[in-house]
């Protein structure tokens, strides 16, 4: 999920090291990462990632926390939740930065009432649902913002705020840190207004058909990569500092919060 230009080379090298360890432990693993998946998820299953996330042959993928909590409980197994070195991350928990244009008069979330909001996808925890939770108490009759535009990516949401297409966006804190490292031009024109409440980060998953032994192999080989001093520069490039073993129950509140927001009438209109 964080495989853009700022991390691609490091991610490829990290996978090679993890892959070799997986194979040494007796499991099959592909030579390279598969980049042939569309970049945007749909609003309802099957998502555009469905052939990967739902595949009985899946070795490793990373998914957004909300699809994992709401739709993947039987189709995928949790390997571990990564911990990143980025503002807005605390252990396996992360938040989204609510950004506005640098020239915006907004000083608090309430000032965004009637604004145009940019989201990467309506199935994104960090870019859509985290914002719904953050403004839930401010909504009146299920409404807060006037309009939502779907951009397809966090980078495009930043561009939308920077160029005035939107007034605000919620940006995954790891994506924001990587955008700063990559010096995206839009960053010069936006600022952080607030942060969404923390939630469990984007988990590494494998196929739901995997045995307990196979899942443990994937966990232990991952931990070995995180302990390897030779991979320190690679991990630093990815902002990856560790993993923690959460449970599906830790992710369940994401689905409950999304369902509550929908049931209460809170929507981000298009």
């Amino acid at each position: 999920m964080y495989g853009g230009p700022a991390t691609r080379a490091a991610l490829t090298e990290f996978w090679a090291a993890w892959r070799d360890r997986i194979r040494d432990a007796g499991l099959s693993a592909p030579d390279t990462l598969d980049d042939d998946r569309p970049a945007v998820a749909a609003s309802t299953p099957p998502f555009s990632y469905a052939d990967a996330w739902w595949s009985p042959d899946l070795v490793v993928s990373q998914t957004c926390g909300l699809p994992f909590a709401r739709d993947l409980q039987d189709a995928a197994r949790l390997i571990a939740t990564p911990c990143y070195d980025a503002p807005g991350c605390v252990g396996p928990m992360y938040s989204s930065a609510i950004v506005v244009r640098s020239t915006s008069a907004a000083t608090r979330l309430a000032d965004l009432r009637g604004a145009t909001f940019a989201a990467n996808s309506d199935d994104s925890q960090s870019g859509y649902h985290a914002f719904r939770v953050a403004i839930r108490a401010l909504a009146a009759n299920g409404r807060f913002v006037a309009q939502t535009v779907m951009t397809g990516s966090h980078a495009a949401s930043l561009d939308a705020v920077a160029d005035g297409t939107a007034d605000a966006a919620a940006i995954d804190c790891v994506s924001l840190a990587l955008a700063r490292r990559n010096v995206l031009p839009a960053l010069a024109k936006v600022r952080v207004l607030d942060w969404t409440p923390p939630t469990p980060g984007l988990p590494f998953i494998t196929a739901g058909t995997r045995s307990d032994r196979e899942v443990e192999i994937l966990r232990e080989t991952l931990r070995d990569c995180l302990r390897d001093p030779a991979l320190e520069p690679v991990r630093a490039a990815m902002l990856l500092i560790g993993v923690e073993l959460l449970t599906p129950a830790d992710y369940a509140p994401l689905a409950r919060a999304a369902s509550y927001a929908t049931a209460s009438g809170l929507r981000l209109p298009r």
Side-chain angles (χ1 to χ4, degrees):
M1 299 296 275
Y2 302 120
T7 59
R8 189 63 209 174
L11 185 58
T12 299
E13 187 173 348
F14 189 86
W15 169 246
W18 192 3
R19 173 204 66 206
D20 289 349
R21 287 166 169 81
I22 292 171
R23 289 174 173 176
D24 289 344
L27 297 184
S28 297
D31 290 337
T32 60
L33 295 169
D34 187 349
D35 288 332
D36 292 333
R37 310 297 174 185
V40 182
S43 59
T44 55
F47 305 103
S48 58
Y49 297 107
D51 56 344
W53 290 348
W54 273 261
S55 172
D57 299 319
L58 178 65
V59 179
V60 171
S61 187
Q62 188 174 24
T63 180
C64 182
L66 181 60
F68 177 74
R70 189 175 60 188
D71 305 300
L72 289 168
Q73 292 294 301
D74 296 326
R77 296 194 64 179
L78 180 64
I79 299 173
T81 300
C83 305
Y84 293 100
D85 181 16
C89 289
V90 179
M93 309 292 285
Y94 81 130
S95 299
S96 294
I98 300 173
V99 301
V100 296
R101 283 188 299 283
S102 300
T103 57
S104 171
T107 60
R108 54 181 183 164
L109 280 181
D111 295 333
L112 297 180
R113 188 179 305 278
T116 295
F117 178 72
N120 56 325
S121 166
D122 61 5
D123 192 56
S124 170
Q125 169 61 29
S126 59
Y128 186 83
H129 290 281
F131 182 74
R132 286 210 302 171
V133 171
I135 54 91
R136 189 168 60 196
L138 300 171
N141 298 318
R143 299 294 292 269
F144 180 70
V145 299
Q147 181 183 8
T148 303
V149 294
M150 293 298 166
T151 66
S153 70
H154 284 299
S157 294
L158 284 170
D159 287 339
V161 175
D163 67 21
T165 302
D167 301 302
I171 308 297
D172 173 322
C173 65
V174 179
S175 295
L176 183 61
L178 292 171
R180 286 171 172 156
R181 173 179 288 180
N182 215 29
V183 197
L184 293 189
L187 293 177
K189 298 181 180 180
V190 304
R191 62 179 172 86
V192 176
L193 175 68
D194 208 338
W195 293 86
T196 64
T199 59
L202 286 66
F204 294 133
I205 60 170
T206 188
T209 55
R210 298 284 176 187
S211 67
D212 290 347
R213 175 183 171 277
E214 289 174 315
V215 173
E216 190 56 34
I217 286 173
L218 294 171
R219 287 174 182 156
E220 282 306 313
T221 50
L222 173 58
R223 289 180 179 127
D224 191 57
C225 289
L226 292 166
R227 291 189 291 260
D228 187 348
L231 293 174
E232 176 55 34
V234 175
R235 295 191 298 268
M238 296 167 60
L239 304 180
L240 181 63
I241 56 176
V243 294
E244 290 198 20
L245 183 55
L246 301 184
T247 69
D250 293 314
Y251 285 88
L254 301 184
R256 289 198 296 269
S259 296
Y260 177 81
T262 300
S264 66
L266 177 56
R267 302 181 186 280
L268 302 184
R270 299 193 190 184

